[in-house]
């Protein structure tokens, strides 16, 4: 009877050893999965940090642009009154060029001296 008991216990030990080996292998697989997931999590966190930094930079730039536009609109609304325009500044700049002949410069001077603001004004078409 003792021999029988020893055999049963040896069989139990072998069974439990095999079970422990199988569990050890499963633990190793799970550890590998966990390491992979941690790496994926770290990579995703890095990508999110980069994306957030890019977003913050772009948001700041857009916010500054919108703010500047709002300030410019406010200034333009304050200055939305009629005032005489500089009579063709580009044409008057031609007078200083040495490539322009003297008679052409005289013609430009005569044109600028006309002071005909109606001929120089351009307005936007009416909206429908």
């Amino acid at each position: 009877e003792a021999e029988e008991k020893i055999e049963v216990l040896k069989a139990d030990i072998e069974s439990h050893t095999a079970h422990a080996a199988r569990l050890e292998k499963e633990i190793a697989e799970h550890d590998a999965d966990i390491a992979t997931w941690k790496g994926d999590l770290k990579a995703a966190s890095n990508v999110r940090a980069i994306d957030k930094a890019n977003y913050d930079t772009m948001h700041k730039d857009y916010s500054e642009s919108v703010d500047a536009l709002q300030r410019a609109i406010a200034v333009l609304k304050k200055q939305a009154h009629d005032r005489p325009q500089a009579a063709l500044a580009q044409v008057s700049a031609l007078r200083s060029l040495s490539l322009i002949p003297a008679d052409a410069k005289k013609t430009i001077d005569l044109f600028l001296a006309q002071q005909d603001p109606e001929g120089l004004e351009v307005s936007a078409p009416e909206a429908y």
Side-chain angles (χ1 to χ4, degrees):
E1 176 178 324
E3 288 291 323
E4 217 175 272
K5 186 82 171 170
I6 290 174
E7 290 299 319
V8 169
L9 290 175
K10 282 184 181 180
D12 285 344
I13 289 172
E14 284 182 31
S15 170
H16 292 305
T17 303
H19 183 68
R22 190 180 87 247
L23 292 176
E24 192 175 312
K25 182 180 176 185
E26 288 178 13
I27 289 171
E29 290 173 0
H30 293 310
D31 286 341
D33 288 342
I34 290 170
T36 301
W37 296 333
K38 284 183 179 179
D40 291 347
L41 179 64
K42 184 176 181 180
S45 296
N46 288 338
V47 168
R48 279 194 301 273
I50 291 169
D51 288 346
K52 183 182 183 321
N54 289 340
Y55 169 80
D56 289 343
T57 301
M58 189 178 302
H59 183 267
K60 180 181 177 189
D61 183 43
Y62 286 169
S63 296
E64 289 172 354
S65 296
V66 167
D67 183 51
L69 286 171
Q70 288 172 339
R71 286 184 280 125
I73 289 169
V75 167
L76 290 174
K77 283 183 179 180
K78 287 179 184 176
Q79 297 176 355
H81 50 35
D82 290 335
R83 68 180 95 113
Q85 297 293 321
L88 296 175
Q90 295 171 341
V91 175
S92 65
L94 292 175
R95 293 183 296 170
S96 64
L97 295 176
S98 61
L99 299 174
I100 304 295
D103 58 333
K105 288 182 184 181
K106 287 179 187 176
T107 306
I108 291 171
D109 288 338
L110 288 173
F111 176 75
L112 292 175
Q114 288 177 357
Q115 296 291 332
D116 185 14
E118 292 178 18
L120 298 177
E121 288 183 7
V122 177
S123 62
E126 291 293 319
Y128 293 103

